[in-house]
Structures are given as structure tokens and as C-alpha cells.
Amino acid sequence: MNRPSASHPVMVWHRFLASGWMLATGAVSAVGLTVVAVVDRPHRAIALWLLVVSAAFLATGAIRVTVSARGVTAGSAVFPFLRRRFPLERIESASARWTRPTEIGGWGYRWNPGLSSISLREGDALWLTLTGGNQFVITIDDAGTAAELTNDLLAHGRKGP
């Protein structure tokens, strides 16, 4: 078993970010739609279908991002099974820059050909260039440190231990 040592320290970067308005919208709409589904039989089906929208707000309203020797992981803090993992082998490089949601498709989780993102606000963002040429962007505080660690891990992995 490999254990951390002075020559091979364990390096992990971890951040959490929540969007109050997204979480509040998801929670309030979920409660309201549940009440409608229970008390208004004629509108029950539509209310239950609309709960999917509430779940989307809740799923993307708070995220956890981790950079480690395993790669970069970004996922929902509310539904931890919803996450994207990028092993170091799939990452070409990382950078950080100020980003607006309108540059990357909007708020929440967005998928576009060549560019996908998780964006909860305007601000610091981690930009991953993937080996296939696509980019994945995550708006998160201290993205510069995340990019630096990702690039260090990539350089170390390419050189070998």
C-alpha cells in the first residue's frame, strides 16, 4: 500500500458552493407542487410532472468540487449520486478565469457540443480542457488553486512517480 510521504504528499483541493435562489426555488416549488398534487386531484398529474423542475433546481443548486490524484469531480451536494468525474487521463489542461453564466450556456448544469458546465453564479471558474477537445467549466471559488493543482497532478502523472 502506498502511503503519503514527504516525497509523495497527498494533495487534495475541495470546495462547496450553493446558490440560495436556486435552492429556495427548488424547495418552495417542491412543497407547493406536492400540496397541489395532494389536494387538487384534477391537476395531480401535471403537479407531479413539474416536480422534476423542482428536483433540477435542488440537484444543481449546491455543488461540491474535488481535485485529487484521481482527477476532478463535480457533483450535487443535495443528491451526491449526481456527479461528473474526470480522471486525470481525460484532462489535457486546466485554467481559471472570471466567467459569466451567459458565456457557458446559463445557470445550473448545461451541456452543449464542445462545452459543458456547472454554473451557479458569475465569477471565478475552473476550465478543464479534455483530451477529446471538449471543455468542462465549473464556477467555483478559488478556481486558480484548483487549476494549479490539476496541472501539477497532470505533470506529475506524465513524468511518473
Side-chain angles (χ1 to χ4, degrees):
M1 177 197 298
N2 292 335
R3 294 186 183 248
S5 66
S7 61
H8 294 98
V10 174
M11 296 180 286
V12 176
W13 177 93
H14 184 80
R15 291 293 180 275
F16 169 86
L17 179 66
S19 170
W21 73 267
M22 288 178 77
L23 292 173
T25 299
V28 169
S29 64
V31 169
L33 289 167
T34 301
V35 168
V36 169
V38 169
V39 301
D40 189 3
R41 185 167 172 78
H43 296 101
R44 179 173 295 153
I46 191 72
L48 292 173
W49 275 105
L50 287 173
L51 279 172
V52 172
V53 176
S54 299
F57 274 97
L58 291 170
T60 59
I63 61 170
R64 294 186 189 282
V65 182
T66 302
V67 177
S68 70
R70 292 182 176 181
V72 177
T73 302
S76 172
V78 177
F79 302 115
F81 57 90
L82 297 175
R83 65 181 162 262
R84 290 289 312 263
R85 289 186 180 165
F86 299 97
L88 291 177
E89 300 80 39
R90 286 196 54 211
I91 301 171
E92 181 77 25
S93 64
S95 61
R97 73 173 205 235
W98 191 266
T99 304
R100 290 184 176 89
T102 54
E103 290 177 66
I104 52 178
W107 287 261
Y109 181 83
R110 296 289 182 244
W111 176 85
N112 294 298
L115 175 71
S116 296
S117 65
I118 300 174
S119 179
L120 301 186
R121 50 122 176 101
E122 176 179 330
D124 210 9
L126 174 63
W127 286 69
L128 300 175
T129 300
L130 305 176
T131 54
N134 294 334
Q135 291 188 305
F136 193 84
V137 181
I138 309 158
T139 57
I140 193 75
D141 296 327
D142 194 28
T145 302
E148 184 179 340
L149 177 56
T150 302
N151 289 325
D152 287 350
L153 290 166
L154 287 169
H156 178 72
R158 290 182 181 133
K159 288 183 210 167

